[in-house]
């Protein structure tokens, strides 16, 4: 047998058995949270035209996409990000809608990561988007919902870290050189604060801005960090960003979710379409954020509709890894009954199965294997979350 045929390419994996059922149960629980906030499901294609995700939209670089061609020669990509797909749909189907549009989704995304990153190249994301609302209340709603998703999943030791793109924008408005802005952004994205400090020391910029960048790694913590940051800046854009974060915090107190959030004014996101508040959800047992989101007020306009929006996505694979490593029990849909029968008693076994199924119960009909003992069947039932085993033997 050709062993290569049974292996998957690097960066993808099979999901089956109890993991598949736990995964399905967790997705259902998260979808229930979205529904509780009035978010309606939407499904977008697994692949789209390249233009939906190109660099002008601010999404991932071309080299990180899986690209191919259709018969007409159009360049297509497996979607690397769901948000631009949602933006396309909103512009197409809700072009005249002015009231808030609440959408949620679950789907796989594909990123052609470097093999050295040791990351999955296909992951499942669940997310929510609130469209047509530029308010601080909308920001607060999606963050409160993100907290509820973590709590519903079973996490208790986690943190939603909140930043503001405009804080960084205000610091760099006076810098005319785009290359300098890009380099500053690169240092911050990579959390290379030593490199940032060395780079800033040699820049011809105001002492005030220089001092902020030299202390950029200190600008994270509880709500008190906003007071410290406010004392460090005088430009109106950065100060307004801090003021908006304060209002978000006050509204989160109304939700009773403020204890789960912190602030990181040094946070940026690799997706350039974010325009305001950004946030990430962290917990133990993973090497990256489990949840990422933020405000993107200009993205949908690139598809033809001006619609300020905010949303987030949960990486289901990272969330399940965290739950497993924290030894938090994960529920799974179980089969209620397995009926083990001897050949000559098949009629009675089938009748019993029909009766139970009419009652809405799920049933496995298993012909007795002479090589299996009752202990084998009981162990199988335990490992696969079966409710009971009935014997017609």
């Amino acid at each position: 047998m050709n062993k290569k045929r049974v292996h998957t390419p690097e960066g993808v994996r099979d999901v089956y058995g109890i993991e598949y059922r736990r995964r399905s149960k967790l997705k259902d629980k998260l979808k229930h949270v979205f529904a509780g906030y009035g978010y309606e499901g939407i499904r977008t294609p697994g692949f789209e035209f390249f233009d939906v995700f190109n660099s002008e939209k601010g999404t991932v670089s071309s080299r990180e996409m899986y690209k191919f061609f259709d018969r007409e020669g159009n360049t297509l990509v497996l979607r690397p990000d769901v948000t631009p797909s949602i933006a396309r749909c909103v512009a197409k189907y809700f072009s005249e809608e002015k009231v808030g549009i609440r959408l949620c989704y679950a789907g796989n995304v594909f990123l052609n990561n470097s093999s050295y990153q040791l990351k999955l190249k296909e992951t499942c994301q669940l997310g929510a988007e609130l469209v047509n609302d530029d308010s601080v209340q909308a920001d607060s709603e999606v963050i409160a919902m993100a907290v509820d998703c973590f709590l519903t999943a079973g996490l208790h030791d986690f943190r939603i870290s909140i930043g503001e793109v405009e804080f960084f924008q205000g610091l760099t408005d006076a810098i005319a050189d785009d290359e300098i802005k890009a380099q500053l952004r690169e240092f911050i994205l990579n959390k290379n604060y030593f490199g940032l400090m060395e780079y800033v020391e040699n820049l011809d910029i105001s002492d005030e801005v220089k001092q902020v960048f030299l202390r950029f790694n200190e600008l994270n913590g509880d709500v008190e960090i906003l007071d410290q940051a406010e004392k460090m800046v005088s430009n109106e854009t950065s100060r307004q960003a801090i003021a908006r974060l304060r209002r978000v915090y006050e509204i989160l107190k109304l939700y009773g979710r403020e204890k789960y959030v912190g602030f990181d004014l040094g946070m940026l996101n690799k997706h350039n379409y974010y325009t305001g508040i950004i946030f990430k959800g962290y917990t133990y047992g993973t090497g990256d954020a489990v949840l990422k989101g933020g405000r993107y007020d200009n993205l949908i306009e690139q598809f033809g509709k001006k619609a300020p929006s905010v949303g987030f996505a949960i990486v289901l694979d990272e969330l399940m890894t965290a739950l497993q490593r924290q030894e938090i029990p994960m529920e799974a849909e179980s089969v209620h009954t397995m009926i083990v029968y001897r050949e000559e008693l098949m009629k009675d076994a089938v009748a019993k199965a029909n009766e139970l199924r009419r009652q809405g119960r799920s049933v496995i009909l298993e012909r007795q294997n002479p090589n299996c003992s009752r202990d084998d069947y009981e162990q199988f039932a335990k490992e696969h979350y079966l409710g009971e085993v009935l014997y017609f033997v």
Side-chain angles (χ1 to χ4, degrees):
M1 183 182 72
N2 185 347
K3 290 186 177 181
K4 199 170 184 179
R5 291 180 180 174
V6 300
H7 291 286
T8 60
E10 186 175 9
V12 296
R13 57 188 291 266
D14 300 310
V15 179
Y16 61 96
I18 190 62
E19 181 186 358
Y20 179 90
R21 286 190 279 145
R22 284 173 172 165
R23 190 183 185 93
S24 297
K25 184 67 174 180
L26 182 54
K27 287 169 69 174
D28 289 342
K29 291 168 74 173
L30 295 177
K31 289 177 181 177
H32 185 72
V33 175
F34 297 151
Y37 280 78
Y39 284 68
E40 184 178 355
I42 185 171
R43 178 180 177 272
T44 62
F47 63 88
E48 300 216 33
F49 290 118
F50 170 75
D51 189 54
V52 173
F53 304 99
N54 68 23
S55 58
E56 293 179 6
K57 306 295 188 295
T59 186
V60 302
S61 67
S62 175
R63 65 183 300 182
E64 291 182 298
M65 300 183 199
Y66 286 97
K67 299 183 286 291
F68 55 102
F69 303 96
D70 63 14
R71 292 183 179 184
E72 287 70 42
N74 296 305
T75 303
L76 308 176
V77 296
L78 296 178
R79 63 182 174 204
D81 180 14
V82 180
T83 301
S85 294
I86 301 294
R88 176 190 57 75
C89 287
V90 168
K92 181 177 181 181
Y93 303 113
F94 302 94
S95 60
E96 302 302 321
E97 187 65 67
K98 297 179 181 178
V99 178
I101 302 166
R102 289 169 170 80
L103 301 171
C104 62
Y105 61 86
N108 289 6
V109 297
F110 305 85
L111 278 173
N112 193 12
N113 300 310
S114 167
S115 300
Y116 298 111
Q117 292 178 294
L118 300 177
K119 292 182 178 181
L120 286 173
K121 298 184 178 185
E122 178 187 18
T123 57
C124 179
Q125 291 186 358
L126 287 90
E129 314 290 346
L130 174 47
V131 181
N132 277 346
D133 195 334
D134 63 357
S135 70
V136 68
Q137 289 83 359
D139 294 342
S140 306
E141 176 179 309
V142 295
I143 293 173
M145 187 164 58
V147 171
D148 285 353
C149 283
F150 275 4
L151 292 173
T152 300
L155 291 174
H156 297 285
D157 196 354
F158 65 88
R159 184 181 183 89
I160 305 294
S161 188
I162 309 173
E164 239 286 358
V165 172
E166 291 292 295
F167 181 79
F168 173 81
Q169 185 64 43
L171 293 173
T172 59
D173 276 344
I175 300 175
D177 193 325
D178 289 337
E179 289 187 15
I180 293 177
K181 292 182 181 180
Q183 187 60 68
L184 290 170
R185 179 181 173 83
E186 190 69 19
F187 280 125
I188 294 167
L189 278 173
N190 295 326
K191 300 293 184 183
N192 183 3
Y193 294 119
F194 290 111
L196 176 66
M197 288 187 283
E198 183 178 356
Y199 182 71
V200 168
E201 285 282 14
N202 299 313
L203 288 181
D204 183 18
I205 57 177
S206 72
D207 287 340
E208 178 189 284
V209 172
K210 184 176 290 189
Q211 287 303 312
V212 177
F213 280 123
L214 289 173
R215 298 176 60 188
F216 224 58
N217 63 325
E218 302 174 18
L219 297 179
N220 66 85
D222 294 330
V223 67
E224 291 78 14
I225 204 69
L226 299 181
D227 296 329
Q228 179 180 327
E230 192 170 35
K231 294 174 184 177
M232 296 169 66
V233 296
S234 60
N235 74 82
E236 190 60 25
T237 301
S238 295
R239 294 179 71 87
Q240 285 183 5
I242 294 170
R244 188 174 183 106
L245 292 177
R246 290 189 194 281
R247 294 199 297 274
V248 166
Y249 185 76
E250 291 303 314
I251 296 174
L252 287 174
K253 287 166 69 174
L254 300 178
Y255 282 94
R257 298 292 181 261
E258 76 280 2
K259 68 179 181 179
Y260 299 103
V261 305
F263 296 91
D264 182 0
L265 289 167
M267 181 189 299
L268 291 176
N269 195 294
K270 69 176 183 178
H271 294 332
N272 292 326
Y273 55 66
Y274 286 115
T275 57
I277 198 165
I278 52 176
F279 53 93
K280 297 180 180 180
Y282 296 96
T283 188
Y284 297 105
T286 65
D288 197 3
V290 176
L291 177 150
K292 298 178 183 179
R295 173 162 290 282
Y296 51 99
D297 286 347
N298 302 324
L299 178 62
I300 300 178
E301 188 173 4
Q302 296 183 52
F303 294 93
K305 174 182 171 65
K306 187 171 179 58
S309 308
V310 61
F312 66 86
I314 297 171
V315 183
L316 188 66
D317 305 82
E318 294 283 356
L319 178 56
M320 289 194 66
T321 297
L323 292 170
Q324 182 180 10
R325 291 179 177 171
Q326 293 181 36
E327 298 182 349
I328 296 173
M330 285 182 274
E331 298 178 44
E333 294 291 350
S334 62
V335 176
H336 297 119
T337 306
M338 180 167 71
I339 298 175
V340 180
Y341 66 92
R342 213 167 58 233
E343 187 93 32
E344 53 268 33
L345 296 176
M346 181 178 66
K347 179 179 178 180
D348 295 332
V350 172
K352 183 64 175 178
N354 288 339
E355 176 189 340
L356 293 174
R357 287 169 181 154
R358 283 194 294 270
Q359 297 172 11
R361 298 171 66 84
S362 53
V363 181
I364 293 175
L365 265 177
E366 181 76 9
R367 184 173 63 86
Q368 186 181 32
N369 185 332
N371 297 319
C372 293
S373 66
R374 287 205 175 197
D375 286 343
D376 292 327
Y377 289 118
E378 297 294 337
Q379 183 63 30
F380 178 89
K382 181 179 180 181
E383 292 176 353
H384 292 266
Y385 286 71
L386 303 185
E388 62 177 347
V389 183
L390 302 179
Y391 297 94
F392 284 75
V393 295

